[in-house]
Amino acid sequence: MSDSGENRLSAGERGELEELRRRVGVLEAARPGAPRHHPFRSLGSALLILVAALLALLSVVAVWANSIVQDTDRYVATVGPLASDPDVQQAVTNRVTDVVLEQIDVGALVKQLTDAAAQQGVPPRLAELLGDLDGPIENGLRQLVASTVNQVVTSSAFETVWVEANRRAHAVLDQALTGSSDGVVQLEDDQVVIDLGPIVADVRERLVDAGLSVAANIPDVRTDFVVFASDDIGKVRTYVRVLELLGGWLPVIALLVAAAGVFVAFNRRHALIGAAVAVFVAMLVLGIGLTVARDVYLNYLPSGVSPAAAGAVYDALVRFLRSGVRALGAVALFTAVAAFLAGPSRIAVFTRTGCRRSIDALRDVATSAGLRLGAVGRFVHRFKYWIGVAMLVVAAIVLFTWSYPTTAVVVWTAVITLAGFAIREFLDYDDSAPSLKPPESLEPLT
């Protein structure tokens, strides 16, 4: 185009022409004859991305360990639901029932019965038969005690006691990690145990109220209930302790290493996709590892520990860890999809074109109905790129500063961000000059 032709263009058209020339220059610089990659840069980028994926995996575990130990509310939210878990209730019922029966002398009860019968003048043959009632009396006592314990354990009052007791005994996991001890929760023989003595006292009172006066002789005894048991808890304690100390720094380090891997790469968009996929795979591996670890843990339980209750406790302890795994996996997946849709592939161009044309058609209908964007449209048109960058930064800050982001938080953040981009596209309207938009394949996502 001649200089005189350019002079006849409006200011807006001249700016778009310059932008087209700049982008054409970028495409010509990337012609087939130009070098497409540098082997050392590619290798360095790949190594940094792999390290970032590994650090991301460790970061999720570290944040979980750090939160369980230091956040009382988090810990209570973790173990609180166990009070209403049927397997845990059954295990507690069995343990307390055994302890109560150990404190009741069945032989003494039979002797009291036979002495009372003798005093009443019961025939000798009948008195002899009463002396053989040890077994039936013990079975009847077990049923009575088990029924009473079950009433206590399944009551709403027990849930309140359980939650409050665990809030006061929040050091349980810290003890599992450090080996320190406390009066209520202790680490003994590679086991985390909780004293159920208060439950035994409650059961004693209920048995006395039910007419079993001999239950009043049950002393206040320590009743240990195994929450977690493993022969390797010492090794796990060492590793998790390190992760606990690094919990606040590992996510930042992982993010910086991933950013360095993307920055070093020749094709940064491809590197971003690779980093996101690597993190997603790391989360998938961690999720599978948690499932395998559960089976291994249950297979090596000490004798006397209820596998069903142990499985329920394990699931409760790793529930928030699994939630973190799913959340970070969702972030990685959304990042990979967004980076792909920003590229020049046919699918990406088709998707962007379809969305943009749909929004343009909606805006045309609105303007035809009398909507005037005016200064707002010109402002968005002028700062469109930076508005997109600002929305992405805000979304990243929300996810990074959220205390414990879940998959729902990630999904809603993505939905709101996409809605923001749609609104930005709708408001992008400069009515001061005709629009000469460059080819769709050359337009950036932001």
Side-chain angles (χ1 to χ4, degrees):
M1 183 180 294
S2 64
D3 292 341
S4 58
E6 289 191 14
N7 291 334
R8 289 195 297 269
L9 295 176
S10 65
E13 293 172 335
R14 189 178 299 107
E16 292 185 353
L17 179 59
E18 292 299 327
E19 177 66 15
L20 281 174
R21 287 175 174 175
R22 184 186 68 80
R23 298 189 183 188
V24 169
V26 171
L27 291 177
E28 289 180 348
R31 62 187 182 278
R36 297 299 298 169
H37 64 85
H38 193 286
F40 291 105
R41 287 179 59 181
S42 300
L43 178 61
S45 175
L47 291 177
L48 288 172
I49 289 174
L50 290 177
V51 171
L54 176 61
L55 291 177
L57 185 151
L58 296 177
S59 297
V60 176
V61 180
V63 171
W64 166 77
N66 195 42
S67 65
I68 287 293
V69 172
Q70 296 186 3
D71 192 336
T72 302
D73 293 334
R74 184 75 161 181
Y75 169 74
V76 171
T78 299
V79 301
L82 291 175
S84 57
D85 185 273
D87 294 323
V88 174
Q89 289 178 345
Q90 185 60 50
V92 171
T93 299
N94 294 339
R95 178 67 180 128
V96 174
T97 300
D98 291 338
V99 170
V100 170
L101 289 176
E102 288 174 0
Q103 305 302 319
I104 298 178
D105 190 347
V106 178
L109 284 178
V110 175
K111 187 175 184 305
Q112 291 179 9
L113 181 60
T114 55
D115 291 345
Q119 293 176 2
Q120 296 296 327
V122 175
R125 178 58 181 166
L126 182 57
E128 182 181 350
L129 292 175
L130 291 175
D132 297 330
L133 293 179
D134 300 56
I137 290 177
E138 184 174 358
N139 291 334
L141 278 176
R142 171 169 285 278
Q143 293 179 4
L144 174 62
V145 172
S147 175
T148 304
V149 174
N150 186 67
Q151 291 176 7
V152 175
V153 173
T154 57
S155 65
S156 59
F158 171 71
E159 294 185 13
T160 302
V161 171
W162 174 275
V163 170
E164 292 303 319
N166 277 282
R167 183 176 293 277
R168 292 191 302 268
H170 169 235
V172 58
L173 192 59
D174 184 39
Q175 292 158 4
L177 296 176
T178 64
S180 60
S181 62
D182 188 281
V184 179
V185 182
Q186 296 184 5
L187 180 65
E188 300 176 353
D189 299 327
D190 291 332
Q191 295 180 344
V192 179
V193 296
I194 296 179
D195 183 15
L196 298 178
I199 300 179
V200 175
D202 192 357
V203 171
R204 178 181 58 201
E205 295 177 1
R206 295 197 179 208
L207 289 175
V208 172
D209 293 340
L212 188 63
S213 58
V214 71
N217 299 325
I218 299 176
D220 293 331
V221 293
R222 178 179 175 83
T223 306
D224 292 338
F225 177 73
V226 178
V227 176
F228 184 84
S230 174
D231 294 336
D232 296 327
I233 196 170
K235 299 178 182 178
V236 175
R237 179 174 62 219
T238 302
Y239 299 142
V240 177
R241 182 62 176 169
V242 174
L243 292 177
E244 177 200 358
L245 297 175
L246 296 177
W249 293 102
L250 272 181
V252 178
I253 296 173
L255 182 62
L256 292 177
V257 172
V262 174
F263 180 79
V264 169
F266 183 86
N267 191 319
R268 292 171 181 169
R269 187 179 62 82
H270 287 174
L272 179 59
I273 296 176
V277 171
V279 172
F280 179 80
V281 172
M283 294 303 101
L284 184 63
V285 170
L286 180 55
I288 296 175
L290 291 175
T291 301
V292 174
R294 184 184 191 276
D295 295 334
V296 174
Y297 167 65
L298 295 180
N299 288 336
Y300 287 92
L301 282 176
S303 60
V305 178
S306 169
V313 172
Y314 179 91
D315 292 337
L317 289 176
V318 302
R319 180 165 61 94
F320 288 113
L321 178 56
R322 292 184 185 276
S323 178
V325 168
R326 290 191 291 266
L328 186 53
V331 171
L333 185 61
F334 286 142
T335 301
V337 172
F340 171 78
L341 293 178
S345 67
R346 290 185 177 180
I347 296 177
V349 172
F350 176 80
T351 302
R352 294 201 305 270
T353 302
C355 293
R356 184 169 285 113
R357 287 179 178 175
S358 298
I359 295 174
D360 288 345
L362 179 62
R363 185 180 57 237
D364 291 342
V365 172
T367 54
S368 299
L371 177 65
R372 295 293 179 265
L373 297 177
V376 174
R378 291 190 294 272
F379 176 84
V380 173
H381 180 76
R382 181 179 180 182
F383 298 101
K384 181 178 180 179
Y385 175 82
W386 293 110
I387 292 175
V389 171
M391 286 190 292
L392 292 178
V393 170
V394 170
I397 292 175
V398 168
L399 292 177
F400 200 77
T401 58
W402 198 286
S403 297
Y404 305 111
T406 62
T407 305
V409 172
V410 174
V411 171
W412 277 110
T413 302
V415 170
I416 293 173
T417 302
L418 289 176
F421 275 102
I423 294 174
R424 183 198 66 165
E425 189 65 28
F426 180 84
L427 297 177
D428 176 20
Y429 185 70
D430 185 7
D431 55 2
S432 62
S435 176
L436 292 177
K437 289 189 176 182
E440 176 63 33
S441 60
L442 299 180
E443 293 190 37
L445 181 63
T446 57

